[in-house]
């Protein structure tokens, strides 16, 4: 009986597979049949302005729009020390006072420390792993350095950032200035542990993340090629990370090393670590274990559950901007070159999201995020040398490229890469090494007009 039902199940499954072959999320199908402007499928937003990354996905129900607006308000709100009627509980140690201070206009932030617009933070750990295979917290400092604190509390550390410049010359004589950051720590509230490792990270854009959260795990795993079986030099593997809420290991999608699995944990941890606000998802104070903090009165949950949930829904329901100039011949040439030099080996152009019964605009959408959500070795130039679960000290999550042509409009000066060191698109490409060395070398060897076409394509995203 049991055997019989297994056979029937297989037959049914096989039939289903044949019937819906075209709808297999990993099989993009015929590109010409689709509008190339729809980067986010039904969650694409067309009215391009400086606030374009802040647009909710079109057609939200009145209820969803209400929650989105509530979350938007909390996202932009600078928090203050407790007691305060609504937006209290900041600190005692933190990196900034508002989500929007690090994700300007829902885009990226400013690569600096200290001032309110500063959006860089440093993760810290010591060699070894914690009980879940994650980074090993630095005693007295935890996993992140909070370089700002409330009055009367000493920040964990002071950080200075400087750059050294290096001129790069293309074979045809064109030049680019590459810019290497140097972080100097001073005035730690207790001595830093020996052998500590740092990971500098700049707040990335936060739109389109509901779609990324809804890409089936099997689709992401289908992009991985850990043994490089197809011989293109690109490996890529998934990161598996501990979810403190479900208490399970899950596929990492968010964070610059794919070090967080869900938007719920990403947002709650941002509140906890970046702003010092506890919640039902992250109830432990960010200063847990610090000697100087025992006198600080900061008890209980800082955030109402509804407030946290609204912000989670807010980032989940931000749309993706539509592409522009898609039929421009230069842009089309750039798109061809992007595939020819195999940028697309990591920056995967097309995939489908899974079914989501709660938000139709996220459900079964054909999207163009230009990421595989895997981590890749990008070589020593970009390495932080600090492992984060299965992502090694040279590996980073493939940055999504959708919307990147609008950075100048939304954020003014653009800052690319995990620490914002690159100020132009060619500079960002030049930093690619490791698994991306071949793509980078092919880009360098292109005639200037073709390099410009490739950049024009990226600007159309
Ligand atoms: Ca607090
Ligand atoms: Ca800390
Ligand atoms: Ca490969």
């Amino acid at each position: 009986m049991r055997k019989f039902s297994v056979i029937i199940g297989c037959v049914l499954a096989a039939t289903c597979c044949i019937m819906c072959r075209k709808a297999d999320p990993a099989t993009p199908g015929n590109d010409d049949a689709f509008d190339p402007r729809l980067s986010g499928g039904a969650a694409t937003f067309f009215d391009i302005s400086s606030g374009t990354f802040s647009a909710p996905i079109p057609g939200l129900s009145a209820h969803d729009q209400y929650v989105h607006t509530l979350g938007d308000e909390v996202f932009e709100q600078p928090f203050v020390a407790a007691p305060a009627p609504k937006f209290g509980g900041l600190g005692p140690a933190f990196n900034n006072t508002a989500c929007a201070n690090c994700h300007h206009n829902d885009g990226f932030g400013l690569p600096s420390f200290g001032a309110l617009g500063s959006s860089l933070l440093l993760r810290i750990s010591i060699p070894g792993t914690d009980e879940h295979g994650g980074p090993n917290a630095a005693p007295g400092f935890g996993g992140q350095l909070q370089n700002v604190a409330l009055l009367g509390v000493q920040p964990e550390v002071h950080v200075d950032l400087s750059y050294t410049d290096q001129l790069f010359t293309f074979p045809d004589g064109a030049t680019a200035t590459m810019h290497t950051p140097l972080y100097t720590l001073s005035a730690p509230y207790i001595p830093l542990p020996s052998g500590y490792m740092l990971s500098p990270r700049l707040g990335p854009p936060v739109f389109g993340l509901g779609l990324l959260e809804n890409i089936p795990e099997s689709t992401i795993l289908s992009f991985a090629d850990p043994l490089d079986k197809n011989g293109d030099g690109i490996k890529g593997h998934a990161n598996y990370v501990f979810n403190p809420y479900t208490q399970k290991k899950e596929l990492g999608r968010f964070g610059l090393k794919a070090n967080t699995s869900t938007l719920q944990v990403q947002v709650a941890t941002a509140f906890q670590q970046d702003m010092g606000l506890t919640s039902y998802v992250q109830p432990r104070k960010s200063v847990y274990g610090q000697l100087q903090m025992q006198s600080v009165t900061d008890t209980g949950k800082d955030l109402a559950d509804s407030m946290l949930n609204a912000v989670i829904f807010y980032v989940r329901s931000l749309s993706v901007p539509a592409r522009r100039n898609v039929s421009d011949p230069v842009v089309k040439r750039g798109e061809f070159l992007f595939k020819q030099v195999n940028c697309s080996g990591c920056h995967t152009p097309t995939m489908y999201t899974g079914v989501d019964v709660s938000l139709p605009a996220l459900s079964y959408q054909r999207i163009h995020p230009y990421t595989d959500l895997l981590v890749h070795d990008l070589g020593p130039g970009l390495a932080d040398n600090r492992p984060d679960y299965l992502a090694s000290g040279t590996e980073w999550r493939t940055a999504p490229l959708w919307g990147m042509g609008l950075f100048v409009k939304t954020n003014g000066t653009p800052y690319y890469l995990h620490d914002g060191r690159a100020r132009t698109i060619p500079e960002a490409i030049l930093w690619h090494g490791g698994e991306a060395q071949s793509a980078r070398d092919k880009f360098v060897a292109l005639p200037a007009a073709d390099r410009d076409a490739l950049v024009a394509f990226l600007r159309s995203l």
Side-chain angles (χ1 to χ4, degrees):
M1 191 62 204
R2 191 158 169 190
K3 218 174 194 171
F4 184 66
S5 64
V6 168
I7 290 167
I8 297 276
C10 287
V11 169
L12 282 176
T15 318
C16 282
C17 246
I18 291 160
M19 278 166 49
C20 58
R21 170 145 309 151
K22 262 200 137 155
D24 176 352
T27 312
N30 178 10
D31 279 359
D32 298 338
F34 299 93
D35 182 343
R37 296 172 302 166
L38 293 176
S39 299
T44 305
F45 184 72
F46 272 88
D47 190 6
I48 302 303
S49 72
S50 62
T52 200
F53 294 159
S54 311
I57 55 184
L60 288 181
S61 70
H63 168 267
D64 287 351
Q65 182 60 53
Y66 175 79
V67 181
H68 179 94
T69 306
L70 196 70
D72 191 1
E73 190 194 347
V74 182
F75 190 89
E76 284 178 14
Q77 182 66 42
F79 279 69
V80 297
K86 204 170 168 193
F87 300 111
L90 179 74
F94 53 99
N95 295 95
N96 213 319
T97 59
C99 309
N101 283 351
C102 289
H103 302 283
H104 300 178
N105 286 336
D106 301 290
F108 53 83
L110 206 65
S112 63
F113 291 92
L116 276 192
S118 309
S119 324
L120 265 173
L121 55 82
L122 293 176
R123 295 274 160 75
I124 186 168
S125 52
I126 56 172
T129 52
D130 71 5
E131 68 271 34
H132 306 297
N136 204 7
F141 295 90
Q144 182 167 323
L145 292 173
Q146 282 80 17
N147 58 309
V148 193
L150 297 178
L151 214 63
V153 179
Q154 209 187 330
E156 287 184 337
V157 72
H158 177 82
V159 191
D160 284 305
L161 167 59
S162 60
Y163 290 97
T164 50
D165 285 356
Q166 189 194 328
L167 197 68
F168 178 82
T169 309
F170 287 92
D172 59 15
T175 57
T177 305
M178 293 167 77
H179 198 57
T180 311
L182 176 71
Y183 303 90
T184 313
L185 305 186
S186 58
Y189 86 101
I190 55 169
L192 286 154
S194 63
Y196 68 84
M197 303 175 283
L198 297 177
S199 181
R201 302 192 189 190
L202 180 68
V206 291
F207 62 84
L209 301 181
L211 293 165
L212 297 188
E213 189 169 44
N214 201 26
I215 297 168
E217 182 160 340
S218 57
T219 302
I220 296 169
L221 295 179
S222 76
F223 301 140
D225 185 17
L227 302 174
D228 193 19
K229 288 203 171 133
N230 71 353
D232 65 356
I234 298 178
K235 294 176 170 165
H237 64 89
N239 199 358
Y240 280 92
V241 303
F242 184 70
N243 178 328
Y245 188 67
T246 60
Q247 295 281 313
K248 284 189 191 136
K249 275 275 177 77
E250 295 168 355
L251 177 82
R253 297 165 189 257
F254 304 109
L256 305 178
K257 288 202 187 235
N259 43 295
T260 307
S261 57
T262 63
L263 287 175
Q264 181 195 40
V265 172
Q266 179 71 50
V267 170
T269 310
F271 272 120
Q272 178 207 34
Q273 289 292 321
D274 306 353
M275 295 164 63
L277 290 142
T278 52
S279 64
Y280 73 94
V281 177
Q282 290 287 23
R284 181 175 277 185
K285 281 186 252 181
S286 62
V287 293
Y288 177 83
Q290 283 196 18
L291 287 176
Q292 67 159 348
M293 299 302 174
Q294 282 173 352
S295 60
V296 175
T297 48
D298 186 28
T299 49
K301 245 179 349 190
D302 293 320
L303 275 179
D305 298 0
S306 60
M307 245 159 133
L308 176 65
N309 290 340
V311 180
I312 296 166
F313 185 77
Y314 171 71
V315 289
R316 188 168 162 243
S317 54
L318 285 172
S319 60
V320 178
R323 277 189 64 198
R324 289 107 18 241
N325 309 323
V326 289
S327 42
D328 180 327
V330 177
V331 167
K332 289 201 128 166
R333 169 89 185 143
E335 180 168 19
F336 167 79
L337 292 165
F338 184 82
K339 290 183 181 149
Q340 197 190 44
V341 309
N342 206 19
C343 306
S344 50
C346 302
H347 296 284
T348 315
T350 303
M351 62 201 73
Y352 282 81
T353 63
V355 171
D356 180 309
V357 289
S358 64
L359 272 180
L362 301 181
S363 185
Y364 200 63
Q365 296 301 312
R366 186 175 192 273
I367 60 169
H368 307 287
Y370 293 92
T371 175
D372 52 11
L373 292 183
L374 300 175
V375 294
H376 295 270
D377 176 357
L378 278 213
L382 286 174
D384 63 355
N385 301 310
R386 174 185 180 270
D388 203 336
Y389 292 95
L390 302 182
S392 75
T394 56
E395 289 176 327
W396 297 98
R397 180 190 69 174
T398 306
L401 301 180
W402 55 12
M404 74 170 296
L406 294 165
F407 285 175
V408 174
K409 207 173 197 113
T410 56
N411 291 71
T413 310
Y415 298 100
Y416 306 104
L417 301 173
H418 65 273
D419 51 9
R421 69 174 73 183
R423 297 146 302 171
T424 64
I425 292 173
E427 217 182 315
I429 300 170
L430 288 174
W431 276 110
H432 284 57
E435 293 171 39
Q437 189 69 45
S438 151
R440 177 245 181 230
D441 292 349
K442 286 179 184 151
F443 170 76
V444 167
L446 289 175
D450 277 347
R451 292 201 306 268
D452 291 349
L454 206 156
V455 171
F457 163 66
L458 295 176
R459 286 202 205 288
S460 78
L461 298 180

